[in-house]
Amino acid sequence: MTLENASRPVPLTAEARALTRRSLVPIAGVLLGGALITGGGSAAHAGGTTMRRPSAMFYGGSEARAGAWLLIDLTGLVKGAKVTYQWKVGGVAIKGATSDSLTVPRGTVGKQLSVALTISAAGYETLRYEQSAGTIAQGPLESSTPTIVGTPTVGQKLTAKPGTWTSGAKLTYEWHLDYGPGDVRPIKGATTSTLTVTSSMVGKGLYVVVKGTKSGYDEIWRMSGYVYPKNASTGKTLSAPTPTISGTARVGSKLTAKAGSWTSGTKLAYHWKANGAAIKGATGSTFTLGSAQIGKTITVTVTGTKSGYKPTAKTSKATAKVAAKTLSGATPTISGTLRVGSTVTAHKGSWTSGTTRTYQWYANGVALKGATKYTLVIPSSALGKQLSVKVTGRKAGYTTLSRTSKETAKIAARKR
């Protein structure tokens, strides 16, 4: 028996759009000892050395929530270990949920979420156990991108279609006009699902924002795409080429719209979109990519207006999917006296400016519980073992990077 409609969120859902490995929060109540989970389970005895169970941490918010994204992170794995995953709800496998992350299925509130882990490595017994992620709580509102239905000409009525939302959600509407770069204004009194086009709207971009609220859920809003009101008279046709985009589709890079040659005297307006959805405030001829655009394709629509002519809009081809930047980081080194009770220090070396780093110390490749600072007082459990330290760097808009030091010589006994 399996549950449908759950898979790895690539790209991320709208609710998890800003949630990445660089901005995650451990789930409270599931992380024992503040960070580590040991959980239940057993090893399959197929010969070889018994494998120590790695530490596990869940990321994705304050708790497992229906419709939200969740990640399990294992530390202290033996060298060369291979891990397979199977997420379950109420003990039932979720079809296709076999990666280290999951968008928790809706309709599962109050059920237990877990992940079955199988860890194998050469020379070790295969380890199989099930790790609990706790009881599934209510998640964010289910929502859709609204659309505008109707002909955007003076005197015609337009209707905002909100799409599918969580049952019982209260929806409110607010219509906006885009006058040009940096000048977006709400239309006074336009707070219902319908709007009649007036002559003052001609030549401007028009869109609607739908806001959803419901007790027990986070407030959420969705923005429609643009329509461009025009006069009822036809007018002449503008000469309007298809625009092109130059630049690299990578976070931090600037994209430039090349409008091409239009009818002389035409006034041009620009509107950038990610995966077909308008990017709020992106109305100039250039746009600098941010972390919110990772994994999405970018297009630009150029709209031309001129007195006596019909307004015309042309949209470029989509770029490749926007990639994250790559962090750079040095391999850490360890200094200090290699003796029980002595303090050793991890030296991180040079990393990309603005990188946030975390530390994890190991003895003979096994993570030391609670050893997550850049210094370590060597515990008696490390006697006769070799130390190493892993430094993990994170920065918004960048891929996560981990560097591990060389192992030290064996730790000597405490000096008497």
Side-chain angles (χ1 to χ4, degrees), residues 292-308:
Q293 284 80 52
I294 291 175
K296 300 174 185 177
T297 59
I298 305 298
T299 57
V300 64
T301 298
V302 179
T303 302
T305 55
K306 184 179 180 181
S307 178

Side-chain angles (χ1 to χ4, degrees), residues 86-392:
Q86 176 59 65
W87 293 86
K88 298 181 179 182
V89 169
V92 179
I94 304 171
K95 185 177 180 181
T98 55
S99 71
D100 61 352
S101 64
L102 171 77
T103 298
V104 181
R106 294 187 181 274
T108 58
V109 174
K111 297 182 180 181
Q112 292 295 312
L113 178 66
S114 62
V115 57
L117 301 168
T118 301
I119 307 174
S120 59
Y124 290 84
E125 297 169 353
T126 298
L127 182 63
R128 295 183 178 89
Y129 64 101
E130 194 161 314
Q131 185 69 63
S132 173
T135 302
I136 298 171
Q138 188 60 265
L141 279 174
E142 184 176 5
S143 61
S144 300
T145 299
T147 56
I148 298 175
V149 176
T151 303
T153 55
V154 173
Q156 296 297 309
K157 179 183 287 186
L158 302 179
T159 300
K161 297 290 186 180
T164 302
W165 290 66
T166 298
S167 177
K170 180 182 178 182
L171 304 182
T172 57
Y173 300 83
E174 188 174 83
W175 296 81
H176 294 254
L177 279 176
D178 189 336
Y179 288 76
D183 189 7
V184 176
R185 310 174 200 172
I187 302 172
K188 187 176 181 180
T191 55
T192 66
S193 62
T194 61
L195 177 74
T196 299
V197 179
T198 65
S199 59
S200 63
M201 302 174 188
V202 173
K204 304 174 182 68
L206 174 67
Y207 65 92
V208 66
V209 172
V210 179
K211 182 175 73 174
T213 56
K214 185 178 180 180
S215 178
Y217 292 79
D218 295 334
E219 175 184 293
I220 193 168
W221 60 266
R222 290 280 181 252
M223 172 182 167
S224 74
Y226 278 68
V227 296
Y228 301 94
K230 57 186 178 181
N231 290 310
S233 57
T234 55
K236 293 186 262 184
T237 301
L238 287 171
S239 173
T242 299
T244 59
I245 298 174
S246 64
T248 303
R250 185 178 297 278
V251 172
S253 295
K254 180 187 285 187
L255 301 181
T256 300
K258 304 282 180 82
S261 180
W262 288 64
T263 300
S264 178
T266 301
K267 181 181 178 182
L268 301 180
Y270 300 82
H271 300 91
W272 296 85
K273 299 177 182 179
N275 279 1
I279 302 171
K280 191 173 182 179
T283 55
S285 60
T286 63
F287 175 66
T288 300
L289 296 166
S291 57
Q293 284 80 52
I294 291 175
K296 300 174 185 177
T297 59
I298 305 298
T299 57
V300 64
T301 298
V302 179
T303 302
T305 55
K306 184 179 180 181
S307 178
Y309 290 76
K310 295 183 292 184
T312 302
K314 293 287 185 176
T315 300
S316 70
K317 291 183 179 180
T319 66
K321 290 182 178 180
V322 176
K325 290 183 180 180
T326 302
L327 275 180
S328 64
T331 300
T333 57
I334 299 173
S335 65
T337 303
L338 302 175
R339 186 182 298 279
V340 173
S342 295
T343 299
V344 288
T345 301
H347 301 278
K348 66 183 184 300
S350 178
W351 287 69
T352 300
S353 177
T355 299
T356 298
R357 287 167 291 272
T358 57
Y359 298 82
Q360 177 63 60
W361 291 85
Y362 297 84
N364 281 6
V366 178
L368 293 171
K369 185 174 180 179
T372 56
K373 297 181 179 180
Y374 73 94
T375 59
L376 172 72
V377 177
I378 301 175
S380 58
S381 62
L383 178 63
K385 300 177 182 178
Q386 295 173 286
L387 295 179
S388 61
V389 64
K390 179 170 73 174
V391 180
T392 300

